[in-house]
Amino acid sequence: MDILAIESSCDETAAAVIRDGREIISSVVATQIEEHKLYGGVVPEIASRRHCESIVGVVDESLAKAGMKAQDVDAIAVSFAPGLIGALLVGVNFAKGLALALGKPLIPVHHIRGHIAANYLAHPELEPPYLCLVASGSHSHIVKVNSWTEFETIGQTVDDAAGEAFDKAARAMGFPYPGGVHIDRAAKTGDRKKYQLPHPHTANPYDFSFSGLKTAVINLIHNAKQKGEEIDVNSLAACFQYTVSDILTQKFITAAKESGYKTLALAGGVAANSGLRSMLQQRADYNGMKVYYPPIELCGDNAAMIGCQAYYEFQAGHTAGADLNAVATMRLDRVTW
Ligand code: KG4
Ligand code: ZN
């Protein structure tokens, strides 16, 4: 089964052709980052307009790379929630029009379910049940993946998402948007013990809180400036990255131990972080657990992961009609359309 998948939930317009849920026939991602960089973050209005301009070209390119015409695909999939509403609407409307014109099924995909599915594209042996840590620009979740389409969130952020904290801390350190990758790079030559950052407490032990940590970075920089002291940015980046990774992995491994999981997966944009990957690997090895990581190019937003999850949604009978709408916020374990 060949699925043409479309993704437009934030600042990447993407399309992909995926065969039987596991094979990438083509994948095209047009990023708007350079433009949003000027404003220090994603400007929703600009994102919608750029999706509108790029979507036809991106879909055409993904079909051309696959050596296919639109009528050759068996279904159209689209990321319909959660995300920036104006951005999502572009992809949803385009997918609806295409499915209608071609007389093909329309498969709605929850964006975060897509991030989790990115792992299936690289690891043919991975199948539910397993425990997944999702760390993206707007989500931080510990999720029980009970089946291909059944999920249970057992922990989540009570304030900022991990990626959001990376981006805000990076901005305070003087890095451009999106800052996660810059912190990752800077941290490689820093001394993480040079600074101390807090481990915020949460009532539910599997929940996360990153806003205090971000504020601590901002205050530390502010205080140093007032005293005329210079900040060692690489060391602060190393300390921040270590602290976020420590919080994420500690809670994730504890949840895995307490629920008896031996198979783990990491997903979302922050899954690209080298410090997080190596810390998680070490702690999983120590506890006799196996961790799956998406390849770096599939950690951020892309349509291949949407096409992959769409295959399983379709098997479960999850298709939408012409009244499908985009939804800005939706739990990944309570998906409706
Ligand atoms: O999953 P994603 O593409 O978007 C959402 O669905 O939210 O995640 C984007 C986030 C950004 O916050 C970005 O800074 C972060 O992922 N990110 C990283 C790295 N690469 C991307 N954070 C830390 N280290 C990285 N190497
Ligand atoms: Zn995403």
Side-chain angles (χ1 to χ4, degrees):
M1 179 184 194
D2 290 335
I3 296 178
L4 170 64
I6 293 167
E7 157 65 41
S8 71
S9 66
C10 190
D11 56 353
E12 263 95 30
T13 319
V17 178
I18 301 300
R19 184 159 297 157
D20 298 330
R22 296 272 179 161
E23 189 188 346
I24 304 176
I25 306 299
S26 70
S27 176
V28 177
V29 181
T31 183
Q32 312 170 357
I33 281 178
E34 285 308 315
E35 192 168 0
H36 297 293
K37 234 181 216 173
L38 302 173
Y39 307 97
V42 177
V43 183
E45 171 89 18
I46 293 177
S48 310
R49 287 167 187 265
R50 296 298 165 261
H51 287 308
C52 201
E53 288 163 9
S54 335
I55 195 153
V56 174
V58 167
V59 169
D60 273 352
E61 194 183 334
S62 73
L63 286 167
K65 280 193 170 156
M68 297 170 95
K69 300 245 174 289
Q71 51 269 32
D72 299 333
V73 303
D74 300 299
I76 311 295
V78 66
S79 182
F80 80 110
L84 300 171
I85 195 69
L88 285 166
L89 280 168
V90 176
V92 167
N93 249 331
F94 187 88
K96 265 162 64 160
L98 199 56
L100 252 166
L102 297 169
K104 309 277 182 186
L106 176 65
I107 311 168
V109 177
H110 188 285
H111 178 79
I112 301 299
R113 289 188 181 192
H115 272 298
I116 295 172
N119 282 291
Y120 302 140
L121 293 165
H123 309 293
E125 72 281 18
L126 176 61
E127 52 181 59
Y130 59 91
L131 194 67
C132 188
L133 172 64
V134 183
S136 78
S138 41
H139 295 81
S140 305
H141 290 325
I142 297 177
V143 184
K144 287 183 175 178
V145 183
N146 296 332
S147 79
W148 306 107
T149 56
E150 287 163 316
F151 303 79
E152 189 190 338
T153 306
I154 58 168
Q156 58 198 305
T157 183
V158 297
D159 41 54
D160 291 355
E164 193 181 351
F166 263 102
D167 294 342
K168 288 176 177 168
R171 189 178 181 163
M173 292 178 209
F175 294 117
Y177 172 84
V181 69
H182 297 281
I183 290 194
D184 197 345
R185 229 172 270 148
K188 290 190 199 308
T189 51
D191 169 12
R192 72 168 174 85
K193 293 189 177 140
K194 191 159 175 179
Y195 296 103
Q196 287 280 317
L197 289 171
H199 272 59
H201 175 78
T202 54
N204 169 355
Y206 303 156
D207 279 348
F208 304 106
S209 166
F210 292 113
S211 98
L213 188 56
K214 163 202 72 187
T215 309
V217 169
I218 294 169
N219 288 344
L220 199 146
I221 294 172
H222 187 70
N223 290 342
K225 267 191 191 149
Q226 278 191 332
K227 288 187 206 149
E229 290 169 6
E230 208 162 297
I231 286 282
D232 173 355
V233 172
N234 291 2
S235 294
L236 184 55
C239 179
F240 178 79
Q241 177 169 294
Y242 180 87
T243 308
V244 173
S245 304
D246 190 34
I247 294 168
L248 288 169
T249 48
Q250 213 178 359
K251 288 173 182 255
F252 186 39
I253 296 279
T254 304
K257 271 202 226 165
E258 289 179 356
S259 305
Y261 285 91
K262 288 283 178 197
T263 306
L264 311 181
L266 187 60
V270 182
N273 187 266
S274 61
L276 174 61
R277 284 168 99 105
S278 64
M279 187 186 289
L280 182 56
Q281 187 61 54
Q282 268 175 22
R283 295 182 183 179
D285 284 349
Y286 180 78
N287 286 286
M289 296 163 181
K290 162 99 183 138
V291 196
Y292 291 91
Y293 307 90
I296 300 291
E297 67 279 10
L298 293 180
C299 287
D301 289 347
N302 65 86
M305 66 187 198
I306 302 300
C308 174
Q309 181 60 24
Y311 176 76
Y312 297 103
E313 298 289 348
F314 185 75
Q315 306 292 322
H318 301 163
T319 56
D323 58 349
L324 177 67
N325 208 342
V327 185
T329 48
M330 185 181 289
R331 287 179 62 116
L332 90 161
D333 49 6
R334 295 204 203 127
V335 173
T336 51
W337 58 90

